[in-house]
Amino acid sequence: MAFLAFSILWGFGAAVFMLTEARISNLSYFDSMYFCWVWLLTIGYGDITPKSNIGKPFFIVWSLIAVPIVTVLFQEMSSTVVSAVNRGAFKVADWTIMPTSKRGVLDKYIHKHAWLKRFIRKMSDAEECAVQASGDAEQPRDLARSPRVLTTRKNTSRISSLNQSSP
């Protein structure tokens, strides 16, 4: 909708500029479109300006209407880009194991395949045995970030209790 309003204002402004400046500047429609584009984006090169007595006040009023519409158009375009980035980020978040109540895609995949659950359980049990065997040896401060530990619902409470007991 904003793009349609922008296009109508741009084309309408170029037609009016071409007609109002026809006697003085003898501009083509495409030159008028260039002027309106530069005017709408508030660049203002100054190479083409309204010179007629009717063109000057018309373009003041026209700019008071057109510039906010361009602002809305840019806001809508940026909202579209931001929502696309958010959708991509949420897709990535679904494939990771997030500490939320919602089970991610990877977590669902793990629970769907029994061999993978057994493998993760075996890895966590081996890690637990290694921690118990080390006894007084210094333990990593954050086992959840250890590359060999994959957190599942079963061993999350075990890891959090180990993290709380470490200095």
Side-chain angles (χ1 to χ4, degrees), residues 138-157:
E138 187 174 326
Q139 297 177 3
R141 292 199 183 274
D142 190 6
L143 289 177
R145 291 189 181 172
S146 177
R148 291 181 7 187
V149 176
L150 183 62
T151 58
T152 61
R153 288 195 180 146
K154 181 178 178 183
N155 66 3
T156 303
S157 60

Side-chain angles (χ1 to χ4, degrees), residues 3 25 27 55-56 58 92 102 110 117-118 136 143 150:
F3 185 74
S25 301
L27 297 174
K56 291 175 185 177
F58 172 78
V92 169
K102 179 185 171 195
I110 291 170
K117 282 192 340 188
R118 284 192 304 269
D136 294 331
L143 289 177
L150 183 62

Side-chain angles (χ1 to χ4, degrees), residues 13-28 31-32 35 39 48-59:
V16 169
F17 184 68
M18 182 184 75
L19 294 174
T20 59
E21 302 296 316
R23 292 180 317 157
I24 299 171
S25 301
N26 198 21
L27 297 174
S28 70
D31 290 336
S32 300
F35 165 75
W39 189 289
I48 300 174
T49 58
K51 295 178 178 75
S52 67
N53 288 337
I54 196 166
K56 291 175 185 177
F58 172 78
F59 279 97

Side-chain angles (χ1 to χ4, degrees), residues 90-154:
F90 289 136
K91 283 191 186 277
V92 169
D94 283 344
W95 277 96
T96 60
I97 299 173
M98 300 295 288
T100 63
S101 61
K102 179 185 171 195
R103 287 176 48 188
V105 175
L106 185 59
D107 194 31
K108 288 178 186 175
Y109 183 81
I110 291 170
H111 287 286
K112 189 177 178 181
H113 296 85
W115 66 270
L116 194 52
K117 282 192 340 188
R118 284 192 304 269
F119 175 75
I120 292 171
R121 197 172 304 130
K122 200 181 296 184
M123 289 294 291
S124 65
D125 290 343
E127 184 71 27
E128 185 179 311
C129 288
V131 168
Q132 288 175 354
S134 65
D136 294 331
E138 187 174 326
Q139 297 177 3
R141 292 199 183 274
D142 190 6
L143 289 177
R145 291 189 181 172
S146 177
R148 291 181 7 187
V149 176
L150 183 62
T151 58
T152 61
R153 288 195 180 146
K154 181 178 178 183

